[in-house]
Amino acid sequence: MAKYHRNNVGSLVIDRHGGGNFRLWSAFSGVAFRRKLLDTMRCGISRHRYEEDSDVRSPEQQPQQQQVSESKRNNGGSETLSEILNSSEASTENSLEETDEEAKRKIKVFEELQNVVKKFQLEEEGSQQMEAALDVRRLAKDDSEARVTLAMLGAIPPLVGMLDSIDVDFQIASLYALLNLGIGNDTNKSAIVEAGAIHKMLKLIESPENSPNPSVSEAIVANFLGLSALDSNKPVIGSSGAIPFLVKTLKNEKTSLQAKQDSFRAIYNLSITPTNVSEILETDLIPFLLNTLGDMEVSERILSILSNVVSTPEGRKGISNSSDSFPILIDVLNWTDSPGCQEKVTYILMVMAHKAYGDRQAMIEAGIASSLLELTLLGSTLSQKRASRILECLRVDKRKQISEGNNNYSGGVGAVSAPICGGSSSGPNKQDLKQVFEEEEEDMMSEEKKAVKHLVQQSLQNNMRRIVKRANLPQEFVPSDHFKSLTATSTSKSLPF
């Protein structure tokens, strides 16, 4: 018969007849104990599990269970504990070994980098320095930690100093080592510029014996691209005279494709800083970019540069003064299907239309209305919004002109007021002035622009016919004159349907 009592630590002890066999249970209240028994009976837990929980065994099971329990107490428990201790010791030893291996590896790598930097100090100019520059280029190419460590050990100043060498191989090795040190590391980019690398690179370009060397030029362009990615370097590079060199490289027909792409990207990086726009305008870059817009491979990149240039008053003036700038930009809207190009062109035109009345008139003369109307129907969401903004600016100007025409119209030399009410023969009404303005606009537009505008009007009318058909209206529906006038002048904000 088992007896239950509590020991001095609050645990429930089950005593058995026949000796000191007992089991210690976790302490809980009597209410909780009764609840546990009740839940066990209600949930239908198997007798076997119940007997295991309560240490109650059938007469057949008890001797066998006692043997197993004694075996566990005598052997199993110690074996399990020994296995746990052994596995814990083994895992600890493995982790310590891995830590030691990692520490040894890092020490070995550090010593290797340290030996590389020491080579710069062995000779004034010789094979050791060349070997060190090549090692820096190799080690820093794909390892960000090596870039940090090499810079901390002082690899940048001797590499910049190698740019003074008259040996082209030394120059190229140093340039590509510096390029790899700056990959993804703003601290190194800043340190390279502070060490005077920009001035020395430009000095190499200005040197007559090195300027024909395409390998040196390409390496310098690549460095300008990498260094110009850091905002604090942009004003330094822009004011150093690097922009004319990049423009010259861009325009040179003998320049490799990679060097041209790097030049485009470097100029774009520099154009982000407003102070560099004036440096760009001093070159003939804007006309060159506008005339190169037909090249699909670089059109979006060119428009990105122009989007930065147009952000300053000087830049807007430079674009406006360029020959055929507006016809070229508007023509891009007609032939490109790229959403990126459409959005950038509409941004440039929107900024210029918002800032200057003269630019708006030049846009109207170039036939921008039909192109913008088509874009509001077929363009991306952003280009549609920007096209609508431009059309709104142009519509405001048109209203002002009509208003001024009503107030200042003269049959002869003197100005007379237009009649308030229609029907008078003393002067034209508002509708007549509007028609005159539209006819003048039509005359200024090329045949191609007229064709595009006609297609847009047809598209609007066809849409209305489809709507009428769905509404079960008479099939012989013919657009009225009022509807035709709406389709001829409507914008995305006031479409007739």
Side-chain angles (χ1 to χ4, degrees):
M1 184 66 180
K3 295 181 180 180
Y4 300 90
H5 66 88
R6 294 185 180 273
N7 61 2
N8 55 357
V9 295
S11 299
L12 184 66
V13 179
I14 303 176
D15 292 339
R16 294 180 180 276
H17 293 291
N21 291 337
F22 65 91
R23 182 177 180 183
L24 187 65
W25 282 15
S26 300
F28 48 85
S29 65
V31 177
F33 177 72
R34 288 193 297 272
R35 186 181 297 113
K36 179 175 180 66
L37 291 177
L38 184 60
D39 292 340
T40 302
M41 289 185 292
R42 285 180 176 177
C43 293
I45 297 178
S46 66
R47 178 180 179 83
H48 175 71
R49 181 174 177 183
Y50 172 75
E51 289 175 351
E52 285 183 349
D53 291 341
S54 59
D55 275 350
V56 178
R57 300 287 182 270
S58 63
E60 297 81 4
Q61 293 175 336
Q62 190 168 359
Q64 182 180 1
Q65 183 63 31
Q66 287 178 352
Q67 293 177 2
V68 174
S69 300
E70 290 177 0
S71 175
K72 286 183 178 180
R73 284 196 298 271
N74 296 333
N75 299 322
S78 61
E79 289 178 359
T80 304
L81 180 60
S82 176
E83 291 175 358
I84 293 173
L85 291 175
N86 290 336
S87 62
S88 177
E89 291 176 358
S91 61
T92 304
E93 290 176 0
N94 292 335
S95 61
L96 289 174
E97 289 177 0
E98 291 177 359
T99 304
D100 291 341
E101 290 294 331
E102 182 68 16
K104 290 178 182 178
R105 186 190 68 80
K106 289 184 177 181
I107 292 173
K108 184 178 179 180
V109 171
F110 180 81
E111 290 176 351
E112 180 184 3
L113 298 178
Q114 197 173 29
N115 292 331
V116 169
V117 177
K118 286 181 179 179
K119 293 179 183 179
F120 288 113
Q121 305 171 357
L122 296 178
E123 297 182 54
E124 187 70 22
E125 181 179 323
S127 60
Q128 292 293 327
Q129 278 197 335
M130 172 65 76
E131 183 179 350
L134 294 175
D135 288 340
V136 171
R137 177 182 179 181
R138 172 178 56 83
L139 294 169
K141 182 178 180 181
D142 300 314
D143 192 345
S144 59
E145 293 182 0
R147 296 173 201 139
V148 175
T149 306
L150 287 168
M152 291 177 62
L153 291 173
I156 292 177
L159 285 171
V160 174
M162 287 178 63
L163 296 176
D164 293 328
S165 173
I166 59 174
D167 191 335
V168 175
D169 294 333
F170 270 68
Q171 297 167 5
I172 294 175
S174 174
L175 287 168
Y176 282 109
L178 291 171
L179 176 65
N180 288 351
L181 283 174
I183 296 174
N185 192 308
D186 291 345
T187 303
N188 288 358
K189 290 175 183 176
S190 179
I192 292 170
V193 172
E194 291 176 358
I198 302 299
H199 173 72
K200 292 181 181 294
M201 291 178 189
L202 291 174
K203 188 177 179 181
L204 291 177
I205 299 302
E206 295 169 357
S207 178
E209 59 269 16
N210 289 331
S211 55
N213 192 308
S215 298
V216 175
S217 298
E218 290 180 8
I220 292 176
V221 170
N223 271 274
F224 282 158
L225 171 60
L227 297 175
S228 63
L230 183 62
D231 288 341
S232 60
N233 287 345
K234 289 180 173 65
V236 180
I237 299 174
S239 60
S240 66
I243 292 177
F245 161 69
L246 292 172
V247 174
K248 182 179 178 181
T249 303
L250 192 61
K251 296 173 62 177
N252 190 350
E253 296 180 355
K254 297 181 180 179
T255 303
S256 66
L257 179 61
Q258 183 62 51
K260 285 189 176 183
Q261 292 177 349
D262 291 345
S263 298
F264 266 122
R265 295 188 179 99
I267 292 173
Y268 170 76
N269 288 344
L270 296 175
S271 66
I272 294 174
T273 301
T275 55
N276 289 335
V277 173
S278 59
E279 299 289 339
I280 293 175
L281 294 175
E282 290 181 1
T283 67
D284 56 349
L285 177 64
I286 302 301
F288 172 77
L289 294 179
L290 290 171
N291 293 326
T292 316
L293 268 177
D295 188 352
M296 288 296 296
E297 294 182 359
V298 295
S299 291
E300 189 165 354
R301 197 164 295 153
I302 291 173
L303 294 170
S304 299
I305 296 173
L306 294 177
S307 297
N308 292 333
V309 172
V310 81
S311 63
T312 64
E314 301 88 354
R316 292 192 292 273
K317 186 176 180 181
I319 295 176
S320 179
N321 292 337
S322 297
S323 177
D324 295 331
S325 57
F326 291 111
I328 292 173
L329 291 172
I330 294 170
D331 191 51
V332 174
L333 296 177
N334 296 329
W335 58 257
T336 184
D337 293 328
S338 168
C341 289
Q342 290 177 349
E343 291 167 4
K344 289 178 176 62
V345 171
T346 50
Y347 173 78
I348 296 169
L349 295 172
M350 181 182 68
V351 173
M352 299 191 72
H354 179 70
K355 295 294 183 179
Y357 172 80
D359 291 339
R360 293 195 290 271
Q361 297 304 305
M363 293 177 192
I364 293 175
E365 293 176 2
I368 192 174
S370 57
S371 300
L372 292 176
L373 184 58
E374 182 179 1
L375 194 62
T376 57
L377 299 173
L378 305 176
S380 64
T381 303
L382 184 57
S383 60
Q384 286 178 0
K385 291 180 179 179
R386 289 173 176 172
S388 298
R389 293 287 299 275
I390 301 171
L391 286 170
E392 186 66 25
C393 290
L394 301 180
R395 187 165 60 182
V396 169
D397 283 347
K398 188 184 295 186
R399 288 174 180 172
K400 289 182 179 178
Q401 290 179 352
I402 293 173
S403 177
E404 291 174 358
N406 285 332
N407 295 330
N408 300 325
Y409 181 84
S410 61
V413 180
V416 296
S417 298
I420 297 176
C421 299
S424 173
S425 60
S426 60
N429 58 21
K430 184 176 180 180
Q431 185 66 28
D432 294 335
L433 288 172
K434 183 178 180 181
Q435 183 177 359
V436 171
F437 178 81
E438 291 175 354
E439 290 176 354
E440 292 177 353
E441 184 180 0
E442 287 281 349
D443 294 337
M444 290 186 292
M445 296 170 64
S446 63
E447 294 297 327
E448 183 180 357
K449 304 298 181 183
K450 292 179 181 178
V452 172
K453 184 175 181 179
H454 180 66
L455 289 175
V456 173
Q457 292 175 4
Q458 283 185 338
S459 176
L460 291 173
Q461 294 174 8
N462 290 335
N463 288 337
M464 177 58 75
R465 288 191 179 93
R466 285 194 291 270
I467 293 173
V468 169
K469 185 176 181 180
R470 288 198 298 268
N472 296 322
L473 293 178
Q475 296 299 320
E476 61 274 6
F477 171 80
V478 178
S480 63
D481 294 337
H482 175 65
F483 172 76
K484 291 180 179 180
S485 65
L486 286 175
T487 57
T489 59
S490 66
T491 67
S492 63
K493 290 187 176 182
S494 58
L495 291 176
F497 49 88

